[in-house]
Amino acid sequence: DLHELSKKFPLTMPAEGFLSRGFQPEQFHYGLDIAGRQGSPVLAAADGAVIFSAWTYDDGFTLMMAHDEGFTTVYKHNQALLKYAGERVRRGEMIALLGNTGKTSSGPHVHFEVWKDGVAQDPTNYLLTIQ
């Protein structure tokens, strides 16, 4: 039951903006695109530890966090990264600045993914609020 999922791993929106693209795994789009203002805050959706924070060619400045129960969240296309691998982060803490970096970005947004035990999940099933 979807309500149970969000209770098990409740997430808050990682950025202010609007949903410009949803979860479409059949098109290899494994997250949500939240379009927003360049340079605006990207926030940790839940408590966790940063496990990756670096530049990637396709996705630009990317940050990944590990959470309890086998969950991972991913934040792509950032303008700048504010947290680094090994740091612990609290929900709502600023982790990056929203950007338009990487070959696959087509405008200022954060691409936000949720994984459970290595399987991509629809983030809308876990978000407490959808804007």
Side-chain angles (χ1 to χ4, degrees), residues 29-93:
H29 192 257
Y30 297 107
L32 304 179
D33 287 348
I34 302 158
R37 203 174 78 255
Q38 180 109 357
S40 62
V42 174
L43 310 175
D47 294 355
V50 178
I51 55 172
F52 180 85
S53 177
W55 172 264
T56 67
Y57 179 73
D58 282 345
D59 301 321
F61 287 111
T62 298
L63 187 139
M64 295 176 72
M65 288 179 60
H67 308 278
D68 293 340
E69 312 275 333
F71 283 100
T72 306
T73 55
V74 185
Y75 311 78
K76 297 179 176 179
H77 307 302
N78 300 291
Q79 176 179 299
L81 301 169
L82 305 176
K83 299 292 180 183
Y84 299 94
E87 289 190 73
R88 293 213 52 88
V89 179
R90 309 289 298 174
R91 171 196 315 282
E93 207 174 318

Side-chain angles (χ1 to χ4, degrees), residues 17-22 24 29 32-36 106-110:
F18 65 93
L19 205 57
S20 59
R21 187 172 177 194
Q24 299 168 305
H29 192 257
L32 304 179
D33 287 348
I34 302 158
S106 58
H109 74 289
V110 62

